[in-house]
Amino acid sequence: MSERTPAPRGPAPHAGGPPGGGLPIDELLALDREHVWHPYGPMPGRRTPLVVDSAAGVRLRLAEPAFGNDELVDGMASWWSAVHGYNHPVLNAAARGQLDRMSHVMFGGLTHEPGVRLAKRLVDVTPEPLRHVFLSDSGSVSVEVAVKMCLQYWRSVGRPGKQRLLTWRGGYHGDTWHPMSVCDPDGGMHHIWSGALPRQVFADAPPAGFDAEPDPRYAAGLRALIGRHAAEVAAVIVEPVVQNAGGMRFHSPGYLRVLREACDEHDVLLVFDEIATGFGRTGALFGADHAGVAPDVMCVGKALTGGYVSMAATLCTPRVARGISGGEVPVLAHGPTFMGNPLAAAIADASVELLLAGDWAGRVARIEAGLRDGLAGAERLPGVLGARVLGAIGVIELDHPVDMAAATEAAVRAGVWLRPFGRLVYTMPPYVTDDADLALICRAMRAAAEAG
Ligand SMILES: *Cc1c(COP(=O)(O)O)cnc(C)c1O
């Protein structure tokens, strides 16, 4: 945001509180600008970020008011991860309990209960036959691990020529090198690297619409493309049901069944990147569940720890694990320093348990209904192409690139934190967002769409 409302400047509210607190806000922002790189931003930053002092429930508390608000309802759930809201007593207790035992020990040669419990829980909640779990530190790394598993599987079973990946356009799989190579090659944020990245095989983006009948021509084209490249393709990788950071587009689960059949027919592995869609976001526990198919490899992240700390996981089937472990190099040569971090694992285990113990499906369905109500008619706003809702995801698509500063300001004025991108003003709120806050988010989305 380019400007903030003038406000009396003083020490941040927690002066004298936690270690490191008490930095005057002007100084904090000057240091931030001078030294701190922010996501997808230039250095030094051109926009002044809002300073968050604390967060509880669905609200971010600002260190000083912005456009008249010192609290914002978080429509982003911190990039879709904080599904239980902030400062949750159950997750806080899990973190504290683990902190008093040990925050971290290496996973090489050692193991621990939080890591084992979490792995077992992930195996229990994901589709059969995903039975083996590789824990890592972030979503992008979990995708790197998935790619390594697939390439190494084929190498190990005597087909080393299968080294490429196949995906459909419009996807997003992370910011490290191999994930970048399967992000949307044109519209995505990594297109300048197309000459430097491994060259993958791209199908057209799946036809839009979750409820639409699968288009037989598109499906036939997808099958044919997989067949044509089967000798060099190790795996197909897609985000099931919703393409997220690539454009918030929904597609029919039917295409996932087409991918499963074509992959089986042509000896290609199937990877579902469920980092955004996992843990209930689309109305099913996993995107794969809408289609009733199981991938060979699955990535989860984001909501895995309820948004508390960074952790991700790559799951695979016994077939993939046995293939790798019976090969010429019979190990998966990957082992992040903080692999299986006990603190993250304890929080993740508590977060998934909390999700399953509550009525997550009812909550997501209630949010879906609230978003449908709140966004009804938004497609008639000037400059708006359409609006769509699936599960706890609400999207307004403009007919032009959004003016992010103006849109964000309009949302903040309305008391809501949104972070629009591309042509999209969207929300992926915490599942604990109540109806009144949901209505507020929808009003802010309309205001942001009009301003942006
Ligand atoms: C966010 C995301 C990633 C990358 O996860 P990070 O934790 O940011 O590295 C990968 N795939 C999908 C589908 C995502 O939404």
Side-chain angles (χ1 to χ4, degrees):
M1 198 163 320
S2 49
E3 281 174 47
R4 293 168 297 122
T5 37
R9 297 301 169 83
H14 277 172
L23 204 56
I25 288 169
D26 277 341
E27 197 181 321
L28 184 154
L29 285 171
L31 291 170
D32 183 88
R33 190 179 151 74
E34 179 69 16
H35 299 298
V36 183
W37 218 302
H38 283 269
Y40 309 107
M43 191 76 243
R46 282 197 286 270
R47 295 198 177 113
T48 306
L50 301 177
V51 182
V52 179
D53 182 63
S54 64
V58 300
R59 284 179 162 69
L60 308 177
R61 293 199 188 111
L62 304 179
E64 63 175 15
F67 303 111
N69 286 306
D70 57 5
E71 276 192 354
L72 301 178
V73 171
D74 185 4
M76 306 306 298
S78 281
W79 269 332
W80 333 334
S81 60
V83 290
H84 306 296
Y86 299 94
N87 226 322
H88 196 288
V90 171
L91 302 190
N92 286 4
R96 287 203 188 93
Q98 186 55 42
L99 206 50
D100 287 338
R101 282 194 194 86
M102 62 188 169
S103 173
H104 183 65
V105 289
M106 64 188 282
F107 219 34
L110 302 175
T111 195
H112 45 72
E113 187 170 330
V116 174
R117 287 174 74 102
L118 175 62
K120 174 71 168 77
R121 200 180 291 283
L122 290 177
V123 168
D124 288 346
V125 298
T126 53
E128 265 288 302
L130 295 166
R131 239 173 271 165
H132 307 298
V133 183
F134 191 104
L135 298 170
S136 62
D137 11 28
S138 76
S140 299
V141 173
S142 76
V143 174
E144 298 279 6
V145 170
V147 172
K148 195 184 275 189
M149 281 178 177
C150 293
L151 268 61
Q152 192 173 338
Y153 170 81
W154 289 115
R155 191 185 178 83
S156 299
V157 301
R159 300 190 59 185
K162 286 163 79 69
Q163 293 194 1
R164 291 180 80 189
L165 302 171
L166 188 151
T167 186
W168 47 37
R169 289 171 187 267
Y172 174 82
H173 297 282
D175 295 340
T176 60
W177 216 244
H178 255 94
M180 281 204 295
S181 75
V182 281
C183 289
D184 187 73
D186 304 318
M189 39 194 144
H190 302 312
H191 63 94
I192 59 166
W193 295 111
S194 57
L197 292 169
R199 282 182 50 249
Q200 314 294 17
V201 182
F202 286 93
D204 289 340
F210 176 79
D211 293 317
E213 279 297 309
D215 172 358
R217 289 226 344 252
Y218 178 82
L222 205 51
R223 286 180 204 274
L225 190 71
I226 293 169
R228 210 154 56 239
H229 291 276
E232 52 173 356
V233 165
V236 170
I237 177 168
V238 296
E239 293 157 277
V241 176
V242 180
Q243 294 182 296
N244 299 274
M248 298 291 163
R249 285 161 47 94
F250 312 150
H251 58 257
S252 164
Y255 297 124
L256 304 174
R257 290 189 285 272
V258 170
L259 289 178
R260 182 69 275 176
E261 285 166 21
C263 285
D264 287 344
E265 186 181 342
H266 297 290
D267 269 355
V268 171
L269 294 172
L270 181 59
V271 181
F272 283 170
D273 176 349
E274 296 256 14
I275 293 167
T277 49
F279 305 108
R281 181 57 69 179
T282 68
L285 196 51
F286 293 95
D289 298 338
H290 286 293
V293 300
D296 302 291
V297 177
M298 180 188 271
C299 300
V300 295
K302 288 204 163 90
L304 173 61
T305 64
Y308 265 53
V309 286
S310 185
M311 177 170 257
T314 311
L315 289 95
C316 76
T317 61
R319 170 194 171 203
V320 171
R322 272 200 304 270
I324 291 170
S325 309
E328 158 203 352
V329 178
V331 297
L332 186 70
H334 212 104
T337 305
F338 290 101
M339 182 167 178
N341 175 259
L343 186 57
I347 297 168
D349 188 48
S351 175
V352 181
E353 185 177 31
L354 183 63
L355 185 76
L356 299 176
D359 176 19
W360 65 267
R363 283 181 167 174
V364 171
R366 181 183 54 77
I367 289 179
E368 176 166 343
L371 290 173
R372 283 192 200 286
D373 266 8
L375 299 180
E379 67 281 355
R380 290 193 295 276
L381 294 172
V384 168
L385 207 62
R388 51 187 180 268
V389 173
L390 178 66
I393 307 172
V395 184
I396 298 178
E397 182 162 353
L398 309 185
D399 62 13
H400 58 277
V402 60
D403 176 341
M404 191 155 111
T408 308
E409 178 183 326
V412 171
R413 278 187 194 285
V416 174
W417 174 241
L418 297 176
R419 177 127 174 126
F421 73 94
R423 295 159 172 264
L424 307 176
V425 174
Y426 76 97
T427 184
M428 290 212 200
Y431 302 164
V432 295
T433 309
D434 68 22
D435 291 343
D437 287 338
L438 207 55
L440 185 66
I441 290 174
C442 292
R443 284 201 295 280
M445 286 176 68
R446 290 165 174 276
E450 286 190 291

